Amino acid sequence: MKTIAVIGGGITGVTTAYALARRGFSVTLFERHRYAAMETSFANGGQLSASNAEVWTHWSTIVKGMKWMLRNDAPLLVNPRPSWHKLSWFAEFIASIPHYRRNTIETARLAIAAREHLFAWAAQEGIDFDLKRAGILHIYRDRAGFEHAGRVSALLAQGGLERRAVTPQEMRAIEPTLAGSYYGGYFTESDATGDIHKFTSGLAAAAARLGVRCLYGQDVRAVKTDGRRATITVQDGNDSASSTFDGAVICAGTASRALAAGLGDRVNIYPVKGYSITVNLTDEASRAAAPVVSLLDDETKLVTSRLGDDRFRVAGTAEFNGTNRDIRADRIRPLVDWVQQCFPGVSTRSVVPWAGLRPMMPDMLPRVGRGRAACIFYNTGHGHLGWTLSAVTADMVAGVVDQALGSAAAMVPGAALTPMRA
Ligand SMILES: Cc1cc2nc3c(=O)[nH]c(=O)nc-3n(C[C@H](O)[C@H](O)[C@H](O)COP(=O)(O)OP(=O)(O)OC[C@H]3O[C@@H](n4cnc5c(N)ncnc54)[C@H](O)[C@@H]3O)c2cc1C
């Protein structure tokens, strides 16, 4: 039986380990924390959202970013201090703008394919993750935003997604708790929400039942290869130990870039910070006043999920500030204010703030496939849609590992999903 190491126990690593185990590989998963899903896969927006497949590589993102540069409460914030990493990332981001349409369509297609795997795995393994299949409603306060959404809808439709324009009256019928006045909305019935941390933990347990060795508290210090096999060196307290595998899949979130560099691969992930608040709905009035349908406010770039009966998650903002995980009060405040404005009946007495780093590729497509060495693989760089896309990219990379351990074709360096297309 071929042995595979998976580096990282977030949503991408755990889904990859599970998909590989289902194909009969002997899998060892390395995670530096004591539990699965303790970094970016801990408290994200919760949306399984094909309707959010629009990539950000559009001139309007650059224009908005410049406008917001000097506002602390802006949805997008760039620390102006230059670094080679940041500059190279933005140069590649701009170079990807001509592929905006193609990449949006491709992302929608992947997001739709991901649903079937994820729902099937959850049902098969009996994972309770507060799944809600009540759709996602995009809301717009002005005509310009609504009209842009119409153009995005046409691209999403090319990827196979159906979403329909709704009037303010229809919006009220879909989610009666939403306060404020709106120009219109777009509703995607087929989208869903769920708790990423609960799902990842549940799937890690299911993977262990399938025979995956989940090694927690193991900090991978190096991945090396002689071209045929992969050697993983871990630090566990004061001890370091090495073990060798037939292959390794890097799923280390924002740490993937450094691991890839050590292997001669360029995976130009930038850590794009986002924040969430989890509002504990401790009283009956708040539970009644909080939305059930998931929302995406395109102007403020905030997303919401109702997790179970008694939690309401609001997440968003994008901050380019290196590997900085600080939870800033001035970035959390706009999220709480947004709840007060849109859902005035919800008490914000008990709010849990969180910050996480999106592992973002400049072209906004995840890196899924082989590295330079025949035994090294990547499933990483899922950016703002890692929860949505994880199940399909895990299945894809498991297929590539399956093929590659007996084949010689290598992933083109710098190509993202290209080698994976059917
Ligand atoms: C505010 C916010 C809201 C979001 N909302 C949504 C949403 O609504 N829908 C959606 O689809 N996506 C959303 N996302 C994006 C999504 O959460 C991420 O894309 C996804 O969680 C990334 O998963 P990952 O496995 O790549 O990374 P991570 O979850 O960070 O996992 C990487 C793991 O690798 C481990 N690791 C790293 N280096 C090593 C090492 N050397 N040795 C051992 N272990 C190592 C880390 O400890 C970590 O556990 C959101 C993100 C943010 C920040």
Side-chain angles (χ1 to χ4, degrees):
M1 196 190 277
K2 296 279 185 187
T3 57
I4 307 290
V6 174
I7 320 298
I11 185 67
T12 59
V14 170
T15 49
T16 299
Y18 179 78
L20 285 165
R22 281 172 66 110
R23 284 174 185 257
F25 287 98
S26 166
V27 183
T28 303
L29 181 139
F30 294 92
E31 167 53 52
R32 63 185 167 199
H33 291 289
R34 290 178 67 195
Y35 316 100
M38 296 305 288
E39 293 204 356
T40 316
S41 307
F42 185 75
N44 76 355
Q47 290 192 331
L48 294 161
S49 49
S51 62
N52 195 18
E54 183 192 12
V55 295
W56 301 357
T57 46
H58 194 277
W59 282 113
S60 63
T61 312
I62 308 277
V63 172
K64 277 184 201 156
M66 308 255 245
K67 221 170 57 188
W68 286 332
M69 272 302 250
L70 301 171
R71 265 182 46 197
N72 272 356
D73 62 346
L76 196 152
L77 203 64
V78 181
N79 180 335
R81 193 180 312 142
S83 71
W84 173 242
H85 184 192
K86 205 190 300 173
L87 290 172
S88 73
W89 193 92
F90 274 114
E92 284 182 50
F93 180 90
I94 289 168
S96 302
I97 289 177
H99 309 302
Y100 160 84
R101 293 172 62 85
R102 186 192 72 197
N103 291 351
T104 296
I105 295 167
E106 178 69 357
T107 306
R109 195 184 64 74
L110 284 172
I112 293 167
R115 288 171 179 163
E116 302 318 315
H117 294 290
L118 190 128
F119 295 150
W121 293 348
Q124 207 166 331
E125 303 296 348
I127 303 170
D128 171 13
F129 64 108
D130 294 330
L131 171 65
K132 220 172 229 74
R133 298 179 79 165
I136 294 181
L137 176 64
H138 288 230
I139 62 176
Y140 301 93
R141 291 181 181 75
D142 59 32
R143 184 177 174 163
F146 181 76
E147 286 181 349
H148 177 76
R151 291 188 288 275
V152 173
S153 278
L155 295 180
L156 299 178
Q158 288 183 52
L161 186 75
E162 201 179 303
R163 75 168 189 175
R164 63 185 165 95
V166 285
T167 63
Q169 292 73 25
E170 288 170 310
M171 287 170 69
R172 244 178 292 286
I174 291 166
E175 185 42 74
T177 61
L178 176 64
S181 75
Y182 299 92
Y183 185 85
Y186 272 89
F187 187 49
T188 312
E189 249 135 351
S190 57
D191 271 340
T193 55
D195 185 324
I196 186 172
H197 180 76
K198 276 192 178 180
F199 178 86
T200 312
S201 306
L203 197 70
R209 288 195 296 274
L210 285 181
V212 173
R213 278 202 319 147
C214 296
L215 303 180
Y216 296 108
Q218 307 272 311
D219 195 353
V220 173
R221 290 303 171 94
V223 181
K224 294 241 155 49
T225 177
D226 59 5
R228 290 182 309 110
R229 306 198 79 207
T231 300
I232 313 295
T233 304
V234 294
Q235 192 78 29
D236 185 4
N238 290 330
D239 300 325
S240 85
S242 296
S243 38
T244 299
F245 299 84
D246 294 313
V249 191
I250 314 290
C251 307
T254 55
S256 299
R257 177 172 172 263
L259 291 171
L263 288 157
D265 289 317
R266 186 158 184 276
V267 180
N268 196 15
I269 286 172
Y270 193 87
V272 180
K273 186 155 65 158
Y275 295 85
S276 77
I277 56 171
T278 305
V279 183
N280 290 315
L281 306 169
T282 50
D283 57 275
E284 196 43 54
S286 292
R287 287 192 281 277
V292 172
V293 169
S294 174
L295 302 173
L296 197 153
D297 184 341
D298 248 329
E299 186 187 323
T300 56
K301 295 286 174 218
L302 295 184
V303 306
T304 77
S305 309
R306 181 73 175 263
L307 301 172
D309 197 31
D310 56 3
R311 288 183 303 150
F312 175 43
R313 172 85 43 84
V314 180
T317 77
E319 205 174 296
F320 290 78
N321 193 19
T323 308
N324 174 312
R325 293 186 169 83
D326 294 351
I327 301 177
R328 285 171 47 174
D330 61 341
R331 306 290 287 155
I332 291 294
R333 187 74 246 168
L335 273 59
V336 179
D337 289 347
W338 186 89
V339 173
Q340 284 166 359
Q341 191 190 72
C342 297
F343 303 99
V346 171
S347 162
T348 49
R349 214 171 265 128
S350 172
V351 165
V352 183
W354 172 82
L357 300 173
R358 301 176 185 88
M360 190 85 82
M361 293 293 290
D363 64 357
M364 312 277 300
L365 290 180
R367 172 64 75 90
V368 187
R370 283 176 60 173
R372 276 177 201 278
C375 59
I376 301 296
F377 306 87
Y378 294 91
N379 180 22
T380 191
H382 292 61
H384 73 308
L385 278 184
W387 175 215
T388 301
L389 300 178
S390 57
V392 73
T393 62
D395 190 61
M396 287 160 74
V397 81
V400 173
V401 173
D402 220 347
Q403 266 186 347
L405 287 179
S407 88
M411 184 173 85
V412 182
L417 292 161
T418 323
M420 317 286 305
R421 289 195 184 109

